[in-house]
Amino acid sequence: MAGRFRLATFNIENLDWSPSAQDEFGRRLAVLRPQLAAIDADILCLQEVDAQRETAHAPRRFVALDRLVEGGGYERFFRAATLRPGGDAPADIHNLAILSRWPIVEQRQLYHDIVVPWRWTPPAEKGASAQPIDVAFDRPILYARIALAEGASLHVLNLHLRAPRAVPLLGQADRKSSRAIAEGQWLAAQKREGQALEARLFVDRLFDEERAPLIAVCGDFNSDAYDAPARILWGADDPSGPRGLAPLATRVDERARFTVVHAGRKTLIDQLLASPALAARCAEVAILNDGLADEATAPDPILGSLHAPLVATFRA
C-alpha cells in the first residue's frame, strides 16, 4: 500500500438534532468537532448516528451528521450508511455510517442474510403454555469495500451489537422479576452472539474469495474484549491464525486499554479486528480516552460521547 492511512471506530453517542434544540446541538458540535479532528481518520466508522426530519413530513436523513462534518476534513468524504431493514430511509436512531477518503466501490447491509431469524419458546410456568417469540437483530451490519489509493481493496465491517440489557418479553406482567430479567438477558446474549456469527460467516466468504484479503471488523461490540462475541469473530482459538481476526487494541498499554468507564470500571467494548494481511501492516494503535467521563455519573445531556475513539495506523 502506498503511504499510511488511519482507520478509526467511534460510538458517537446518539448523534441527534432537532429544530427545538439548536443550542444544545451547538454545544455538542463544540465538543465533537475537535474530537473528530484529533482522530484524523482516513476511514471512520461511526455508531449511533441518528436520522432526523427537518420538517414534520420530510423523509429522515442524516441532518446531524451533515452538520457535524460541515466545513471540516470529513465533509467531502465518501459515505455509506445503514437503512431501516425493509425500508428505504434510515432508522430514527442507532444507524451505522462509514466515512472514507477513498471511493466506496461496494456497500451493503447484512441483516439476517446468513443467520436467519429464529423462534424461541420460553419455558412454561405453572402449567401455562408460553407463546413463541420471534427473535431478530436490533439493527444491520454495515459493509463497505473501499478502493485504497494504490488500488487495493479494503473490506470494512461496522458493527453495533446488542447491549447487555434484558429484552422485554411480551406477556410478562412483571418485567422486573428475576425470571423476566434472566430470560431477557439470555435473549439479549443470543442476539449479540448471533449477529457476531453473521459477521464472522461473511468474513469467511471474503477469505474464500481472496488469497490475503485486507479486512477490518470494528465497532461497539457491547461486550468485553474476550467475551463470546469477540471470540466468535476471531474465528479461531488463536486470532493470529491464517483466517483469524486479530484484536488490535491488545497492542495498547494495558493501563490505557479501555473505551468506556462504568461506575469506575474500565472496559474495552469498542474494538477493531484485522485480518492477517491487514494486521501485519499495523504500525500504531491508540485509544483516545483521556478525560473520558464515567457513564454512570456523567451529566445529562451528554455533550461529547461516553465512548473513546479507537484508532489504528497502517503502513505500506
Side-chain angles (χ1 to χ4, degrees):
M1 290 186 281
R4 295 189 170 207
F5 72 90
R6 284 164 65 88
L7 171 64
T9 181
F10 185 28
N11 183 325
I12 207 162
E13 201 83 50
N14 290 311
L15 181 66
D16 202 4
W17 168 91
S18 73
S20 61
Q22 300 278 13
D23 291 343
E24 180 182 320
F25 184 69
R27 290 192 290 271
R28 287 209 75 186
L29 290 185
V31 174
L32 288 173
R33 280 177 171 166
Q35 276 191 289
L36 293 186
I39 292 169
D40 191 25
D42 299 291
I43 300 165
L44 177 61
C45 295
L46 297 172
Q47 301 86 43
E48 294 198 21
V49 181
D50 295 353
Q52 301 81 28
R53 292 188 174 97
E54 290 189 278
T55 61
H57 301 292
R60 288 194 182 276
R61 64 182 189 87
F62 294 111
V63 178
L65 180 58
D66 289 342
R67 297 190 179 197
L68 173 63
V69 301
E70 185 178 17
Y74 301 97
E75 183 176 19
R76 298 186 181 276
F77 275 30
F78 298 90
R79 184 188 298 180
T82 50
L83 303 175
R84 183 184 296 278
D88 58 2
D92 54 345
I93 62 170
H94 289 193
N95 298 282
L96 304 170
I98 298 173
L99 309 183
S100 171
R101 182 180 304 279
W102 300 289
I104 296 173
V105 295
E106 180 185 354
Q107 69 179 75
R108 61 179 291 190
Q109 62 184 39
L110 304 170
Y111 186 75
H112 292 294
D113 292 57
I114 304 173
V115 176
V116 300
W118 64 97
R119 306 192 92 192
W120 175 64
T121 302
E125 185 177 14
K126 297 179 180 178
S129 59
Q131 295 298 312
I133 297 168
D134 292 318
V135 185
F137 302 144
D138 292 346
R139 52 194 153 258
I141 296 166
L142 181 61
Y143 164 74
R145 181 166 63 89
I146 297 169
L148 297 176
E150 80 296 351
S153 288
L154 176 67
H155 304 278
V156 180
L157 277 79
N158 186 1
L159 280 64
H160 184 187
L161 303 182
R162 167 81 192 194
R165 299 189 186 96
V167 176
L169 302 182
L170 296 175
Q172 288 187 333
D174 183 2
R175 294 189 177 182
K176 294 186 178 181
S177 70
S178 59
R179 178 188 176 99
I181 291 172
E183 291 183 348
Q185 284 284 10
W186 180 85
L187 200 54
Q190 296 299 301
K191 289 188 174 193
R192 189 163 55 252
E193 293 172 22
Q195 195 161 38
L197 176 61
E198 179 150 77
R200 176 65 228 190
L201 295 178
F202 183 80
V203 165
D204 278 330
R205 293 181 179 181
L206 298 176
F207 277 113
D208 290 340
E209 294 168 359
E210 296 183 28
R211 181 180 176 186
L214 304 174
I215 304 170
V217 177
C218 57
D220 180 354
F221 291 8
N222 265 314
S223 59
D224 285 339
Y226 295 92
D227 284 350
R231 291 179 177 274
I232 291 169
L233 286 161
W234 292 353
D237 290 335
D238 179 2
S240 64
R243 282 198 169 209
L245 292 175
L248 297 184
T250 59
R251 304 187 185 194
V252 176
D253 184 272
E254 189 171 0
R255 291 171 297 180
R257 200 183 301 163
F258 63 93
T259 59
V260 166
V261 182
H262 182 80
R265 180 173 178 262
K266 298 176 178 179
T267 60
L268 180 68
I269 69 172
D270 304 271
Q271 296 197 49
L272 202 169
L273 312 181
S275 63
L278 185 61
R281 293 166 168 80
C282 184
E284 183 182 6
V285 184
I287 302 174
L288 309 184
N289 52 22
D290 286 347
L292 184 65
D294 190 318
E295 65 178 8
T297 57
D300 189 33
I302 299 164
L303 293 183
S305 174
L306 298 176
H307 293 247
L310 171 58
V311 188
T313 302
F314 299 92
R315 59 178 174 264

